[in-house]
Amino acid sequence: MCGIVGYIGKSKNVGDILLEGLKRLEYRGYDSAGIAIVRDGELFTDKMPGKIKKLEEVIGKQDLSGSLGIAHTRWATHGEPNRINAHPHYSADMKIAIVHNGIIENYITLKKSLIAEGCEFRSDTDTEVLAHLIERFYNGDDLEFAVQRALELVEGTYGILVVSASEPEKIVAARNGSPVVFGVGDDEYIIASDVAALLKHTRQVIYLEDQQMVVATPKHFTTMTVQNEYVEHHIHEIDWNLEQIEKGGFDHFMLKEIFEQPETIRNAMRGRLIDETGRARLGGLDMTVDEMLEVKRLVILGCGTSWHAGLLGEYMIEEKVRIPVEVEYASEFRYRNPVLEEGTIILAISQSGETVDTLAALREAKSRGVRCMGIVNVVGSTIARESNAGVYIHAGPEIGVASTKAFTSQISVLSLLALMFGRQRNISQSEGQKMIAALKALPDQVTQILEANDSIRDISEKYHKHDNFLYLGRGPNYPVALEGALKLKEISYVHAEGYPAAEMKHGPIALIDENMPVVIICPRDAAYQKIIGNINEVKARKGKIIAITTEGDDEIIKMADHVIFIPKTLDFLYPILTVIPLQLMAYHIAVMRGCHVDQPRNLAKSVTVE
Ligand code: G6P
């Protein structure tokens, strides 16, 4: 959730490098930020509540030169987001500084014993115990040793960077449960919680594993375990570029990412469809035909939007493959005692590949000997590395906290999975070919929907002051209703509920009056006639109806207050189209309400705490 970045190397402007890195990481957390630079054997440091911009305004006037430093952008877990609790945290003598992403679970016990020894704490954070522990073990010239001793005492998760004024040519990083990526540049090293902060300097990276650390000096580095055993490192090449993590003329990352969807959906399918045989190929799954036939049940795990994608996977895979699919919140799965009989496969869906609940659920399933596959966006992320096999969605970096393009790419990949497995069982070649033709038409169809952006903005304008919304859908468009409501909640702080349209009668219908906008997702699919009945029920109670339906549908025009048309596709693929107007509506309403679209309050892009 928090972002950390550190630098050591040839540059003399470490402050600028760290601030730039923090801005790239700000989507990971944005309630406070801080920086520490080691220069001439001294520690220069400052921190501020609020966004990076505020820190920059304050420290921008100071001397930020130097060649070694660390910085942090925070998403508060322990202690309110004020200046004192912002990172870095320091040793008592103010010579050691640490930034931390994660949670030290036994910090209360450690804090008590440190206080008993006379240690004075400045903050309410769990992190500060680490700073004091490192100080206790430090003799002034072996920072990595002191970090190792301190980490031995710690339970919990950490991605940390540590510097000491006494060793002005050394930075120590360690990881357990929170991502740390070590960028290998040309006479410089940059270390961060994700690659976005490194890209300007290098594309050569080493992903630290849990319980690993790296010690870097200006021209050399060593990777080892926190138990001090040397470990071989492998350098990976990142294929993202700087342009992808910039707004490219859009006002917000979210809008840019919504408009990228024709391309990202195309990328999710590229090279994976075989027209001649009507099949899909997902090489990363690494499964033989026999292995595919042995799969008896699929359990899909995810959180947030990825969980919604999972729900859609259930509709798609049960229909096309005819095997039972269960979808579960990763946070629930990990703490129950799920039945995982032979023939079950786990499918973990995660944009970031770092969501701690999804990762822990995956590990739990793996430890029970279940084959685990991942559908992940961030290449080299922990879930991608720890899955037995998997598929990348190739959506490129997603910076907006509210997920958009990752969602449509996830469901594109799930539809390929349904086709691939389905062709081994129930789907004929001609049906497979029909599905491929429909899949290939999607990017242009999404472009067509995006062209209606202005009219979607006009509809949003009419309703942006409303404080409650209801989203209804049936069949595969029910998860779309959930996702539409989630988008609105996340970025505009408007209360919105997604519901299966027919289930509305069992509660939400009581909320409907002339002030309730009801977004109804009702393309011309198998559920269409049924949902017309639900539309009438809303209409009878004077609810304001915003309908998303298939072009050419004259029937809906008579009933709805507003209609947004989408092109025709196969029933199971409608969600990839119907969600687009909902993303745009949420975006426009948030902008009109003056909300911070890319960094909504209290949220973080990558949730690395439970
Ligand atoms: C956070 C983000 C959501 C995302 C969810 C799961 O809540 O704000 O946009 O859907 O985490 O993240 P993941 O990276 O696992 O897909």
Side-chain angles (χ1 to χ4, degrees):
M1 327 219 33
C2 306
I4 58 173
V5 56
Y7 177 90
I8 187 163
K10 63 187 177 198
S11 172
K12 301 275 174 273
N13 297 314
V14 68
D16 297 341
I17 293 173
L18 294 176
L19 284 172
E20 158 84 24
L22 280 185
K23 283 184 209 154
R24 304 279 186 205
L25 293 175
E26 195 169 21
Y27 67 90
R28 298 185 67 93
Y30 30 82
D31 62 41
S32 49
I35 191 166
I37 293 170
V38 176
R39 189 175 62 227
D40 305 327
E42 276 187 65
L43 197 71
F44 296 88
T45 179
D46 210 343
K47 43 195 192 176
M48 293 296 296
K51 295 188 189 281
I52 313 289
K53 230 170 145 192
K54 212 164 152 205
L55 177 76
E56 193 176 21
E57 277 163 20
V58 174
I59 67 161
K61 298 176 194 109
Q62 301 169 23
D63 177 5
L64 297 179
S65 64
S67 300
L68 168 65
I70 56 176
H72 188 270
T73 179
R74 180 168 187 244
W75 186 90
T77 56
H78 293 73
E80 65 174 283
N82 56 25
R83 186 187 173 107
I84 294 286
N85 290 334
H87 296 218
H89 290 283
Y90 318 105
S91 54
D93 65 3
M94 287 298 289
K95 291 204 154 187
I96 299 168
I98 177 170
V99 290
H100 168 219
N101 173 23
I103 292 181
I104 307 300
E105 283 164 5
N106 59 339
Y107 86 101
I108 294 178
T109 323
L110 293 171
K111 191 170 177 174
K112 273 189 191 149
S113 62
L114 283 163
I115 290 173
E117 286 172 21
C119 187
E120 281 178 30
F121 276 76
R122 304 179 180 98
S123 76
D124 308 319
T125 64
D126 52 332
T127 304
E128 199 184 339
V129 295
L130 258 177
H132 293 298
L133 284 175
I134 294 169
E135 182 175 29
R136 272 179 51 189
F137 295 114
Y138 190 44
N139 62 14
D141 64 5
D142 198 352
L143 188 59
E144 59 273 38
F145 171 82
V147 170
Q148 285 168 348
R149 295 291 77 74
L151 292 179
E152 272 171 15
L153 301 175
V154 152
E155 285 162 22
T157 56
Y158 52 80
I160 54 167
L161 299 174
V162 192
V163 292
S164 161
S166 312
E167 289 181 89
E169 299 215 316
K170 187 185 280 179
I171 185 166
V172 177
R175 164 193 169 132
N176 190 46
S178 302
V180 176
V181 191
F182 184 76
V184 183
D186 190 11
D187 283 342
E188 59 182 357
Y189 304 111
I190 179 152
I191 319 165
S193 26
D194 75 54
V195 295
L198 316 175
L199 273 183
K200 206 173 166 188
H201 302 267
T202 181
R203 294 221 190 136
Q204 313 279 315
V205 302
I206 296 166
Y207 298 104
L208 288 196
E209 302 287 346
D210 281 350
Q211 300 277 312
Q212 282 186 0
M213 56 193 285
V214 59
V215 182
T217 57
K219 287 187 185 263
H220 184 260
F221 70 90
T222 313
T223 45
M224 59 186 83
T225 64
V226 293
Q227 292 79 27
N228 202 28
E229 291 149 4
Y230 172 77
V231 281
E232 285 279 340
H233 60 259
H234 303 283
I235 297 187
H236 300 260
E237 175 93 21
I238 302 167
D239 62 0
W240 288 359
N241 57 45
L242 260 190
E243 208 176 68
Q244 286 176 301
I245 54 170
E246 272 154 12
K247 283 189 202 145
F250 285 90
D251 287 343
H252 297 97
F253 280 111
M254 182 180 177
L255 191 62
K256 177 188 174 225
E257 288 158 7
I258 291 174
F259 272 82
E260 277 174 2
Q261 289 175 111
E263 197 48 32
T264 49
I265 293 169
R266 208 170 270 128
N267 287 343
M269 298 190 288
R270 182 162 289 134
R272 291 172 166 173
L273 294 170
I274 314 162
D275 298 88
E276 304 77 54
T277 54
R279 290 179 187 274
R281 174 182 41 213
L282 295 167
L285 288 190
D286 201 19
M287 287 179 98
T288 62
V289 172
D290 284 346
E291 282 171 334
M292 274 193 263
L293 290 171
E294 277 160 20
V295 178
K296 295 199 174 58
R297 175 173 164 255
L298 207 61
V299 176
I300 303 183
L301 304 173
C303 301
T305 290
S306 295
W307 181 78
H308 291 160
L311 281 184
L312 276 162
E314 178 179 8
Y315 281 93
M316 290 174 170
I317 294 164
E318 288 205 339
E319 188 196 313
K320 302 292 177 197
V321 190
R322 309 300 305 147
I323 56 171
V325 179
E326 264 170 65
V327 189
E328 195 159 342
Y329 287 114
S331 54
E332 290 299 316
F333 176 92
R334 63 181 289 199
Y335 288 119
R336 21 182 230 106
N337 190 8
V339 179
L340 296 169
E341 70 276 81
E342 227 186 302
T344 298
I345 281 203
I346 294 284
L347 187 59
I349 306 182
S350 174
Q351 186 285 129
S352 62
E354 300 293 349
T355 301
V356 78
D357 283 324
T358 312
L359 179 60
L362 178 96
R363 285 177 176 160
E364 171 62 24
K366 249 179 106 179
S367 73
R368 295 182 184 211
V370 181
R371 189 184 172 97
C372 294
M373 308 191 299
I375 294 185
V376 172
N377 188 31
V378 178
V379 175
S381 56
T382 313
I383 293 175
R385 284 180 289 131
E386 294 201 11
S387 304
N388 300 107
V391 187
Y392 283 121
I393 61 172
H394 297 307
E398 190 180 65
I399 311 281
V401 166
S403 183
T404 51
K405 63 175 180 173
F407 179 69
T408 46
S409 295
Q410 287 164 343
I411 49 183
S412 300
V413 164
L414 284 163
S415 64
L416 301 192
L417 194 84
L419 172 59
M420 180 172 149
F421 276 68
R423 279 288 283 119
Q424 305 300 346
R425 297 168 190 244
N426 312 294
I427 298 175
S428 67
Q429 177 166 329
S430 63
E431 197 192 340
Q433 285 167 330
K434 224 170 108 194
M435 286 165 69
I436 289 180
L439 281 160
K440 284 191 167 171
L442 289 171
D444 289 342
Q445 293 180 323
V446 171
T447 304
Q448 193 184 322
I449 300 168
L450 292 170
E451 281 161 9
N453 184 31
D454 287 348
S455 55
I456 295 170
R457 188 193 296 117
D458 292 346
I459 297 171
S460 311
E461 171 88 58
K462 289 202 167 64
Y463 295 100
H464 78 277
K465 291 197 174 135
H466 286 251
D467 288 326
N468 293 290
F469 278 70
L470 193 57
Y471 286 71
L472 303 176
R474 290 184 86 122
N477 287 296
Y478 156 54
V480 176
L482 295 179
E483 176 61 10
L486 178 65
K487 286 292 87 93
L488 192 67
K489 276 184 275 205
E490 281 180 306
I491 58 169
S492 65
Y493 322 140
V494 168
H495 171 246
E497 261 188 78
Y499 241 77
E503 193 61 21
M504 164 191 74
K505 291 189 289 293
H506 302 284
I509 199 163
L511 301 169
I512 298 177
D513 61 14
E514 65 281 8
N515 294 317
M516 176 68 95
V518 184
V519 180
I520 307 187
I521 305 133
C522 48
R524 284 258 174 189
D525 61 5
Y528 182 78
Q529 285 311 330
K530 297 283 172 207
I531 209 166
I532 292 287
N534 305 131
I535 295 177
N536 280 319
E537 289 153 12
V538 175
K539 187 97 194 130
R541 285 151 189 93
K542 299 194 170 53
K544 297 281 176 284
I545 297 170
I546 303 163
I548 319 288
T549 190
T550 313
E551 55 197 7
D553 184 338
D554 301 332
E555 223 171 309
I556 298 275
I557 297 182
K558 294 178 211 138
M559 289 182 272
D561 296 270
H562 310 275
V563 181
I564 301 168
F565 289 110
I566 52 145
K568 188 170 170 37
T569 185
L570 298 179
D571 283 10
F572 86 113
L573 294 178
Y574 269 121
I576 299 180
L577 302 181
T578 52
V579 76
I580 309 284
L582 307 189
Q583 296 170 342
L584 284 170
M585 249 181 73
Y587 170 78
H588 291 304
I589 291 176
V591 171
M592 287 165 195
R593 291 173 73 99
C595 299
H596 203 304
V597 171
D598 286 331
Q599 291 160 1
R601 69 182 181 207
N602 305 339
L603 299 181
K605 181 75 185 156
S606 177
V607 181
T608 51
V609 294
E610 281 190 50

